[in-house]
Amino acid sequence: MKRIMTFMLATAVVGLVAGCKQNNETVMNNIDKKCVEKTVKALNDRYSGIDGVEERIGRGVGQASALWTVADGTPADFEAFCEENFVADPAERARMAEQLEQNFESLWGCFNKMTVDLNLPIHLDGPEPTSLDELFGAYSPSAHFNDDMFDQKIAFIVVLNFPFYTPEEKNTLGKDWSRQEWAYARLGDIFTARVPADCLQALSAQLSAADNYIANYNIQMGHLLDASGAHIFPDMSLISHWGLRDELKTHYNDGEEGLAKQRMIYQVMRRIIDQSIPQCVINNPEYDWNPYSNTVAKDGKEVNAEPEPDTRYQYFLDNFHAMRQLDHYNPRYPTAIVRAFEEDMEVSFEEIEKLFDNFCSSPQVGEVAKLIEQRMGRKLEPFDIWYDGFKSRSTLNEDDLSAQTRRLYPDREAFATKGMPLILNQLGFSQAKNDFICSHITVDPSRGAGHAWESAMKCDNARLRTRIGKDGMDYKGYNIAVHEFGHNVEQTITLHDVDHYVMKGVPNTAFTEALAFVFQVRDLDFLGYKNDDPTSDAMFTLDIFWSCYEIMGVALVDMYSWRWLYDHPEATAAQLKAQVIKTAQEVWNKYYAQYLGEENSPILAIYSHMIDVPLYLANYPYGHIIEFQLEQQLKCESVAGAIERIYPAGRLTPQLWMRNAVGSEVSTQPLLDAASEALKTLSAPVTEQGK
Ligand SMILES: [Zn+2]
């Protein structure tokens, strides 16, 4: 979620604006082809003979012209601007890049620091934030950065001299680029769009409304009735869909009673998806509801209840319209779909689709499904996409673990001065590197569950926010802190050890999550426990395998629904609902129905992120795949050695980063092969597994 958070911050602006208007002054792309050709020719004549200059001139002038507005000047002004500001000499261009990197580090580093400071009352444990704190927290110091850079023509100088390359070009040409050429290409990624602030504000308002809708969508479990009129759940309020799903997962070893609960949760989900859920039972403990007959009762008497009026799909549709407003200002990434995939993930829609299709159609899926049936002693049902039985349960008692972590880490200083160095030491970092990393991370007491906040300049620290109770850090808090610390280590290494500031970071959000999980799964090792369960490797593999299978289908439904919306921009919420359900059923029938029973199940449409974080879902399975490939690599290298070798590559494309990291591109094959091995291990009689 790290990336999303930065995006929301960048676009969060105080006050709501109803729409996004265009006026003649801000219309882009009004420099005609003739003027572009004339400018290109003039520059070519002047600088002919310099290596590669022609290609640069063609790209730079063309791309700058696409962003030039009437307010920026006449076509003659454009021509004069290009002639004046194009830098042909390679040494001079290198100096310009260096200056830009230095200035951007100062700007972005300070923007980030200001955001961190202004949010202290909101993020850190302490007195309740006041309304003034909330206003400062919502203020974005960088909101006008893009506008200012274009107004000052700095953005045009960057575009003209450091043109943009598509992800595909980066993947092919980038194989032979020097690090400096890579930095030039990353400079070319900075000013690809010119979205007016009111469009961003409208989008930000829409997304927070959608977020609010989801955050307040709770089901009152104690008020659900079965056919006999019995309440089978205790009183609890569960958020859709995460809370419902997690509750479902807890009933895998509860026999018939557990199964009845799982089936009821599935039925509730179906009512949410097709919006036949009665409006009055959402987030409201006043009514009893039988999700099968869909009848509602108050004080024991049946009452009439209207269904939710497709609100879920209205939010989806409104997200689409708000995001589509940005298309016009994004000549390089002209749809929300290409922005989500090619710009944010740097992987195309088609590549992702192929990767997921390849995985979901593999014969291993059927074999794992069969193993799950054997383990449960029943046929699979659609909700078994959330089968939870491959988690290798620790035999350690959580209370004992908490007692240990509380003793070790009574306060944040203890975690900062003892916990972090101990973890890095166990992973194999040298003392010098250990000291360096730990001195660049500040540990703060968190108000929420915890998070890792990067630094955007070398003279500032990354922040580890962790929750520590009055009597010390409990095991849950420790487990999260270890995950967040993994993020901080990545953030520190990719800021300080990457040779160019504009190359800092990782290719996309999946790569930082992968490292955070590498840390988190080792949390018990750091406490001194050795895992000697011979099946734990196989269980780990099948756990990732089954989660990938589940979330890939969900991501495909999201992707296909967006593609349909772009083909049907006039759709109503009711039409979108029908289409999302149809898509979910098609994906289900193609990859799931044969193993999990029931044709036409719509279950893949239940994910809440489809509504509140548009087009994000594909990141989850992509992250799992990368995590798995990375873990395989860690079997042949020390963790510290691998991190110090791999992460200084910085923000290459995902494919080139993976080649450098594990010797092959992002692929599901290692996971599929490992699943076959794991199946053998787990199918073998217990006595043969050896100790
Ligand atoms: Zn994380």
Side-chain angles (χ1 to χ4, degrees):
M1 292 304 294
K2 173 179 157 267
R3 212 179 172 88
I4 292 289
M5 202 155 85
T6 350
F7 169 70
M8 301 285 275
L9 278 170
T11 57
V13 187
V14 181
L16 305 184
V17 173
C20 166
K21 47 201 175 303
Q22 226 186 329
N23 63 47
N24 291 337
E25 289 285 285
T26 59
V27 170
M28 299 195 307
N29 210 6
N30 57 73
I31 303 292
D32 65 19
K33 213 171 139 217
K34 256 211 203 111
C35 171
V36 172
E37 282 168 2
K38 189 164 159 246
T39 312
V40 167
K41 185 169 182 313
L43 286 171
N44 275 337
D45 289 349
R46 193 159 139 198
Y47 297 115
S48 74
I50 298 178
D51 197 26
V53 83
E54 232 174 88
E55 199 237 338
R56 285 216 285 123
I57 291 171
R59 275 181 190 263
V61 173
Q63 293 176 10
S65 76
L67 295 159
W68 193 271
T69 66
V70 174
D72 295 319
T74 63
D77 293 336
F78 174 75
E79 209 180 314
F81 176 86
C82 292
E83 291 205 33
E84 236 165 79
N85 291 289
F86 181 76
V87 175
D89 177 56
E92 221 181 299
R93 187 175 175 229
R95 262 199 308 280
M96 181 186 253
E98 205 179 310
Q99 187 69 51
L100 286 168
E101 291 203 79
Q102 222 174 70
N103 292 352
F104 288 143
E105 177 166 359
S106 178
L107 283 163
W108 297 337
C110 291
F111 285 148
N112 181 62
K113 177 84 171 63
M114 283 191 257
T115 304
V116 167
D117 288 349
L118 297 181
N119 278 283
L120 289 178
I122 293 168
H123 289 156
L124 299 198
D125 196 17
E128 273 308 297
T130 63
S131 52
L132 184 63
D133 293 332
E134 301 279 354
L135 285 174
F136 272 117
Y139 172 73
S140 166
S142 64
H144 296 283
F145 171 75
N146 215 48
D147 287 350
D148 293 347
M149 290 294 116
F150 274 103
D151 287 349
Q152 288 215 294
K153 303 272 194 298
I154 293 170
F156 284 112
I157 293 178
V158 175
V159 175
L160 182 65
N161 289 289
F162 304 99
F164 164 84
Y165 289 83
T166 64
E168 207 185 321
E169 287 170 332
K170 289 189 186 96
N171 272 332
T172 49
L173 305 173
K175 279 183 191 150
D176 304 317
W177 283 344
S178 66
R179 292 292 296 181
Q180 185 165 48
E181 285 171 304
W182 259 105
Y184 290 171
R186 284 300 179 202
L187 281 167
D189 288 335
I190 298 172
F191 300 107
T192 55
R194 217 176 160 177
V195 184
D198 58 349
C199 277
L200 291 177
Q201 284 168 3
L203 175 60
S204 173
Q206 169 56 31
L207 291 180
S208 60
D211 189 47
N212 200 28
Y213 167 72
I214 292 298
N216 291 298
Y217 203 109
N218 297 294
I219 301 297
Q220 309 303 321
M221 303 306 282
H223 291 268
L224 296 180
L225 302 176
D226 70 4
S228 70
H231 297 97
I232 65 172
F233 285 98
D235 261 336
M236 55 184 165
S237 175
L238 294 183
I239 190 163
S240 174
H241 75 287
W242 305 282
L244 295 171
R245 175 201 65 188
D246 293 345
E247 173 65 19
L248 191 152
K249 284 183 178 186
T250 65
H251 293 293
Y252 267 106
N253 286 313
D254 291 352
E256 280 304 311
E257 222 174 277
L259 189 58
K261 287 180 177 165
Q262 291 178 319
R263 285 180 179 151
M264 185 176 274
I265 291 173
Y266 176 48
Q267 179 62 19
V268 168
M269 288 178 167
R270 298 187 64 132
R271 296 276 180 206
I272 295 171
I273 293 167
D274 72 11
Q275 295 280 277
S276 57
I277 180 170
Q279 174 77 52
C280 64
V281 304
I282 303 165
N283 221 17
N284 185 353
E286 286 175 31
Y287 296 88
D288 282 335
W289 173 40
N290 175 336
Y292 294 100
S293 63
N294 212 20
T295 48
V296 174
K298 193 172 181 182
D299 305 324
K301 273 197 214 91
E302 201 171 311
V303 293
N304 247 343
E306 291 297 317
E308 188 181 14
D310 295 341
T311 316
R312 181 179 176 84
Y313 298 94
Q314 190 61 51
Y315 275 106
F316 194 149
L317 196 59
D318 292 346
N319 290 344
F320 165 69
H321 287 302
M323 288 172 79
R324 203 161 69 107
Q325 294 294 323
L326 275 55
D327 292 0
H328 178 77
Y329 305 99
N330 271 283
R332 295 285 131 210
Y333 299 109
T335 70
I337 299 175
V338 297
R339 287 194 289 281
F341 290 94
E342 285 167 41
E343 184 176 17
D344 292 348
M345 293 179 79
E346 297 203 319
V347 187
S348 72
F349 183 103
E350 290 73 22
E351 240 177 293
I352 290 276
E353 183 187 22
K354 207 171 125 204
L355 203 63
F356 294 0
D357 171 72
N358 170 278
F359 187 91
C360 293
S361 338
S362 71
Q364 283 88 337
V365 170
E367 292 162 29
V368 177
K370 213 189 287 159
L371 176 67
I372 297 176
E373 286 190 347
Q374 281 166 12
R375 288 167 78 95
M376 292 199 302
R378 67 162 168 82
K379 285 265 165 227
L380 297 190
E381 301 192 25
F383 53 79
D384 291 318
I385 53 173
W386 292 304
Y387 174 70
D388 199 30
F390 291 130
K391 292 257 181 294
S392 67
R393 307 262 175 236
S394 168
T395 46
L396 302 164
N397 176 297
E398 191 170 328
D399 290 340
D400 295 343
L401 287 171
S402 284
Q404 184 180 356
T405 54
R406 283 194 181 106
R407 201 170 55 244
L408 284 170
Y409 309 121
D411 49 40
R412 70 190 172 93
E413 284 85 1
F415 190 73
T417 58
K418 294 192 195 124
M420 298 191 326
L422 181 129
I423 291 172
L424 294 184
N425 185 294
Q426 294 209 14
L427 291 175
F429 283 95
S430 70
Q431 194 53 49
K433 195 73 190 171
N434 193 330
D435 292 344
F436 179 85
I437 294 174
C438 292
S439 69
H440 284 86
I441 298 169
T442 302
V443 181
D444 291 327
S446 173
R447 182 181 295 281
H451 61 254
W453 197 294
E454 67 182 343
S455 148
M457 57 184 169
K458 292 182 196 76
C459 60
D460 187 19
N461 271 13
R463 309 268 163 168
L464 171 61
R465 265 71 189 268
T466 175
R467 200 172 176 83
I468 300 184
K470 280 193 299 296
D471 47 354
M473 189 182 251
D474 64 14
Y475 173 68
K476 270 201 183 72
Y478 165 78
N479 176 274
I480 295 171
V482 173
H483 174 100
E484 303 304 340
F485 181 51
H487 281 308
N488 290 134
V489 171
E490 175 271 299
Q491 291 160 350
T492 305
I493 287 181
T494 63
L495 174 64
H496 291 269
D497 296 352
V498 174
D499 51 2
H500 286 273
Y501 179 72
V502 284
M503 291 289 289
K504 81 174 167 68
V506 283
N508 65 41
T509 185
F511 292 80
T512 178
E513 287 305 334
L515 191 62
F517 283 117
V518 165
F519 275 62
Q520 194 174 6
V521 297
R522 289 166 174 74
D523 71 333
L524 290 174
D525 301 359
F526 303 144
L527 290 176
Y529 298 99
K530 275 256 159 299
N531 185 347
D532 48 13
D533 175 1
T535 64
S536 68
D537 244 20
M539 295 278 274
F540 174 77
T541 298
L542 292 189
D543 189 48
I544 291 195
F545 181 93
W546 200 247
S547 330
C548 276
Y549 175 53
E550 172 243 349
I551 194 90
M552 280 179 186
V554 169
L556 285 172
V557 173
D558 192 33
M559 290 160 66
Y560 293 149
S561 300
W562 271 85
R563 199 167 62 184
W564 182 87
L565 267 176
Y566 262 98
D567 290 338
H568 302 84
E570 307 307 327
T572 62
Q575 286 166 333
L576 174 60
K577 174 176 85 175
Q579 182 61 30
V580 170
I581 293 174
K582 181 167 166 254
T583 305
Q585 290 171 330
E586 282 167 1
V587 173
W588 180 265
N589 292 345
K590 185 167 177 189
Y591 302 115
Y592 299 82
Q594 55 186 313
Y595 307 120
L596 290 116
E598 202 178 304
E599 283 275 303
N600 292 326
S601 169
I603 186 87
L604 299 169
I606 191 60
Y607 261 68
S608 289
H609 271 342
M610 245 174 115
I611 310 301
D612 68 348
V613 192
L615 281 165
Y616 186 77
L617 284 163
N619 280 281
Y620 289 112
Y622 199 68
H624 283 319
I625 294 167
I626 290 164
E627 179 198 349
F628 192 79
Q629 284 181 278
L630 204 57
E631 280 288 357
Q632 297 291 96
Q633 182 66 29
L634 292 179
K635 288 183 178 156
C636 7
E637 265 181 274
S638 84
V639 176
I643 294 173
E644 288 194 72
R645 177 181 69 77
I646 295 169
Y647 277 80
R651 214 154 59 82
L652 297 172
T653 57
Q655 296 297 18
L656 295 186
W657 193 98
M658 282 301 272
R659 262 174 193 276
N660 172 59
V662 305
S664 62
E665 300 201 333
V666 179
S667 160
T668 54
Q669 203 51 49
L671 180 50
L672 290 171
D673 292 344
S676 297
E677 280 307 305
L679 281 161
K680 280 187 213 151
T681 307
L682 292 176
S683 312
V686 179
T687 48
E688 287 175 20
Q689 281 166 2
K691 288 273 161 192

